[in-house]
Amino acid sequence: MCGIIGYVGEQSAQPRLVAGLQKLEYRGYDSAGIALVDDALSVYKQVGLVGELDLPADSSQTCGIGHTRWSTHGKPTDANAHPHTDCTGDVAVVHNGIVGNYDDLRAELPGHEFRSETDTEVVAHLVEEELTRTDDLREAVAAVVDRIEGSYALGVVAAGYDGIVAARRNSPLVVGHGSDGNFIASDVTPLLEHTRSVSYLEDGDVAHITREGVSVWHDGDPVERTVKTIEWDADAAEKGGYEHYMLKEIHEQPQALRQAIAGRIDPLEERVDLDLSLSASFLDDVDEIQLVACGTSYHACLYGKQLLETLADVRATVEFASEYTVGSGRDPERTLVVGVSQSGETADTLRALRMARRTGIRTLGVTNTVGSTVARECDDALYIQAGPEIGVAATKTFASQVVTLALFALSVADSRGELDLAVGAQLLDDLQALPGAVQTILDREDEVAAVADAYAGGEAFFFIGRRFATPVALEGALKLKEISYDHAEGFPAGELKHGPLALVTEGTPVLAVLTDGARPEETHNNVKEVQSRGAPVIAIASESGREGDYEVGFGVPELGLLEPLVANVYLQLFAYCVADTKERPIDRPRNLAKSVTVE
């Protein structure tokens, strides 16, 4: 999704806006622009990279807004790039989201000249109209957003007006409180080098940001929004010597996993403490835990479902958030909906959680982002603690989501009195050994790179596994298609002969997960099926079973139900190396955004 940055303070705004937009490049974009304002307004925008913007060599303005656009309404053109201005050229607007009633609003402005195909431009013209009725920019923006249907995160400036006015509904916007000025941004990434003090605007908020401070209104009344301290290290949002963020984040998984379990396991009591408000009586009475998510988070939920049902003897279901409905026959008081979203701002997941809450179902948000909408709106929040992830293709957050869901499953099982003590103790030991096991795979990166180079020319790629390896197969295929643009499919191994086997040829490498927790004996039969059709097999097996009749075999340390999660690291490295061989833009794959904040 598009990126917003804004600054007002004591220093020149232009370098801060440009640097902020570059920090937001990971979100994906096709054009960029900034607006600088004092007594006059200057706008610079064009298709292409932030670094290619045609900007003045020096600028004295200390207030401005910037934007990276990912096209929705209108093709990537200079005219469609943000910021958008009104007829007078005095008002500039940046916007993330969709103005659903754009056509109706535009019809109400017959005397205005529109220069773009975007829905956003109508906001600038509406602000222009309101400024003929009031000399308060905040009041003007508040009146405009009352007329907008859809989603928005807005940053608005106007010539001769002090500061920036920001507003949000169903699209994230964070305020940064700095020592030499204040900021707005789509997320905290561009703020870390300037401040760790942030506050999160809530749906319906309208804020006025000046160099002196920040004022927030909701439904016309002033409100306070808690200022939080971001614990992320600013260096964590940099590449740190790696060629791509994705590779860096793959290698950060041992540390991310240590953070995910830190302080949550009592080794003496062999218990898990997640500091949730879910009572033992509620968990004991729960009939169903519904997990809702999208993309990589959906695959993590599939792993979590298996863990919940295996450990806690509770019915668990997984649904795509975009398809979620509250079905009949469920007792809201005996149902828990768990929404999993790395950003905590995924539009489909938020819609599902809100639907559940409206029917009285208790909700739990699993997210990486403190202060995100998911964390604020759910009855409980459980953080995966992975640190910032910049690469569009999720890697370390998948592993951290699975581990967090494993801890949750152990906690639920314990609370319900269903936990087999030996099984629980073993899983706790395996969770603590997991970072070291992942590191052993990372140490074999050169071996994986050689295999990826040998098979990068495949016509298509199949990923297969069973039980806990099924979500890993799905995730492995997703990673490869996201960043290499190759056709890749993942599915349960037993489904091969129900259709996909017709596509297997000598040119379709099959990546098979044959670890513990994945019914390897049965999957081995499917391996024989594809080999008999000439397909090469890249097998990832438990260390004791790596020496098989495979074209390539990689071993995984013995780690019980978590072995498929360790195997996933091989698949991440394989996808990365194939994409790197093909010189793809790995951190910014075409047509994709890091956080999908519109439905």
Side-chain angles (χ1 to χ4, degrees):
M1 188 54 198
C2 317
I4 286 175
I5 185 70
Y7 169 77
V8 53
E10 302 170 4
Q11 306 299 318
S12 173
Q14 179 177 311
R16 283 166 173 72
L17 297 178
V18 171
L21 291 180
Q22 289 174 327
K23 291 285 181 18
L24 291 168
E25 286 183 314
Y26 76 95
R27 296 169 70 91
Y29 70 106
D30 50 48
S31 58
I34 66 171
L36 301 170
V37 64
D38 44 27
D39 291 333
L41 181 72
S42 304
V43 175
Y44 309 90
K45 61 178 185 174
Q46 64 195 57
V47 171
L49 301 177
V50 174
E52 298 170 351
L53 279 171
D54 186 11
L55 298 171
D58 190 24
S59 171
S60 61
Q61 291 106 317
T62 58
C63 179
I65 51 178
H67 190 270
T68 51
R69 177 178 186 253
W70 211 211
S71 301
T72 53
H73 290 64
K75 296 179 179 179
T77 65
D78 290 353
N80 288 336
H82 294 219
H84 288 286
T85 56
D86 67 329
C87 295
T88 67
D90 288 337
V91 175
V93 174
V94 292
H95 167 228
N96 288 351
I98 294 176
V99 180
N101 59 336
Y102 159 75
D103 288 330
D104 293 338
L105 292 173
R106 180 167 175 166
E108 297 171 15
L109 299 165
H112 287 253
E113 178 186 355
F114 285 78
R115 306 179 184 90
S116 76
E117 305 168 277
T118 70
D119 55 335
T120 299
E121 190 183 355
V122 73
V123 178
H125 292 281
L126 289 170
V127 173
E128 176 189 358
E129 287 282 305
E130 291 297 331
L131 287 176
T132 65
R133 302 182 182 94
T134 177
D135 59 1
D136 187 322
L137 183 60
R138 181 193 62 81
E139 288 185 8
V141 173
V144 169
V145 297
D146 282 345
R147 299 170 65 184
I148 293 176
E149 296 175 4
S151 60
Y152 57 79
L154 289 169
V156 184
V157 294
Y161 290 83
D162 182 29
I164 303 166
V165 175
R168 71 151 282 175
R169 181 199 295 152
N170 297 332
S171 195
L173 203 58
V174 59
V175 175
H177 305 262
S179 60
D180 64 356
N182 298 303
F183 298 80
I184 60 169
S186 296
D187 62 45
V188 300
T189 310
L191 307 182
L192 293 175
E193 65 179 290
H194 302 289
T195 181
R196 299 300 183 84
S197 299
V198 303
S199 54
Y200 295 88
L201 298 186
E202 298 187 5
D203 280 356
D205 283 355
V206 177
H208 187 198
I209 297 93
T210 68
R211 70 187 64 197
E212 287 80 25
V214 178
S215 303
V216 183
W217 282 261
H218 189 92
D219 290 335
D221 297 320
V223 294
E224 296 290 331
R225 294 295 176 226
T226 303
V227 177
K228 300 177 180 290
T229 301
I230 299 299
E231 302 296 339
W232 289 351
D233 186 347
D235 291 339
E238 303 295 338
K239 289 183 182 177
Y242 288 90
E243 186 174 356
H244 297 97
Y245 283 113
M246 181 182 179
L247 183 61
K248 173 177 178 279
E249 288 154 5
I250 289 172
H251 279 268
E252 285 177 340
Q253 286 177 110
Q255 179 59 29
L257 293 169
R258 293 186 186 98
Q259 292 168 184
I261 63 177
R264 291 172 165 174
I265 296 176
D266 184 335
L268 296 178
E269 295 290 332
E270 294 186 337
R271 302 188 69 177
V272 170
D273 182 9
L274 299 178
D275 193 27
L276 298 175
S277 66
L278 296 168
S279 67
S281 60
F282 171 77
L283 291 173
D284 192 47
D285 289 341
V286 160
D287 289 331
E288 180 182 3
I289 297 176
Q290 297 177 300
L291 299 106
V292 295
C294 307
T296 289
S297 298
Y298 175 83
H299 299 154
C301 286
L302 291 173
Y303 211 122
K305 163 192 162 65
Q306 298 270 11
L307 290 165
L308 281 164
E309 293 190 339
T310 299
L311 299 170
D313 191 29
V314 61
R315 183 186 180 208
T317 56
V318 184
E319 295 192 42
F320 290 108
S322 58
E323 295 293 310
Y324 178 76
T325 58
V326 179
S328 61
R330 291 186 174 93
D331 181 350
E333 295 185 0
R334 299 170 71 92
T335 304
L336 174 67
V337 170
V338 179
V340 181
S341 165
Q342 185 280 136
S343 66
E345 304 293 347
T346 308
D348 293 317
T349 305
L350 282 167
R351 183 196 61 81
L353 289 166
R354 288 163 177 163
M355 185 185 303
R357 291 200 74 193
R358 284 196 298 270
T359 62
I361 295 175
R362 191 174 182 87
T363 57
L364 167 65
V366 178
T367 182
N368 193 35
T369 310
V370 176
S372 62
T373 305
V374 162
R376 294 197 310 271
E377 293 192 4
C378 285
D379 297 302
D380 272 293
L382 184 55
Y383 295 104
I384 68 172
Q385 302 177 166
E389 184 175 70
I390 307 301
V392 168
T395 51
K396 67 177 180 178
T397 54
F398 173 75
S400 297
Q401 285 171 342
V402 171
V403 164
T404 303
L405 289 172
L407 293 169
F408 176 64
L410 284 166
S411 178
V412 172
D414 189 24
S415 182
R416 290 168 62 90
E418 297 289 348
L419 185 61
D420 181 297
L421 295 180
V423 171
Q426 184 60 59
L427 184 54
L428 286 174
D429 287 344
D430 291 342
L431 283 166
Q432 294 175 89
L434 181 61
V438 168
Q439 187 60 55
T440 66
I441 311 306
L442 296 172
D443 292 341
R444 298 170 186 168
E445 182 183 343
D446 289 345
E447 299 173 46
V448 180
V451 173
D453 185 61
Y455 290 98
E459 298 170 1
F461 297 82
F462 288 166
F463 294 73
I464 61 172
R466 291 175 185 263
R467 205 169 176 234
F468 289 94
T470 297
V472 168
L474 293 167
E475 176 63 11
L478 178 62
K479 288 287 95 61
L480 186 63
K481 69 180 74 171
E482 280 180 318
I483 62 171
S484 76
Y485 311 153
D486 284 311
H487 177 70
E489 288 190 53
F491 39 79
E495 287 299 300
L496 260 173
K497 52 184 171 290
H498 295 285
L501 198 58
L503 301 176
V504 171
T505 70
E506 296 177 0
T508 52
V510 176
L511 291 91
V513 180
L514 299 122
T515 63
D516 194 9
R519 289 165 34 196
E521 298 83 4
E522 296 172 47
T523 303
H524 185 74
N525 295 331
N526 305 118
V527 166
K528 290 300 183 184
E529 288 175 334
V530 298
Q531 286 180 320
S532 69
R533 274 77 177 176
V537 171
I538 301 169
I540 304 170
S542 300
E543 196 67 55
S544 58
R546 68 178 296 188
E547 300 300 332
D549 186 19
Y550 320 121
E551 281 66 28
V552 178
F554 289 115
V556 171
E558 294 185 8
L559 219 61
L561 299 181
L562 299 179
E563 284 185 26
L565 185 59
V566 182
N568 183 62
V569 181
Y570 279 119
L571 303 184
Q572 292 172 342
L573 289 170
F574 181 83
Y576 173 83
C577 293
V578 169
D580 194 40
T581 295
K582 297 185 174 186
E583 298 183 344
R584 305 300 194 205
I586 291 173
D587 286 333
R588 295 195 299 111
R590 67 188 181 200
N591 303 331
L592 300 179
K594 181 63 177 173
S595 177
V596 181
T597 56
V598 293
E599 294 186 55

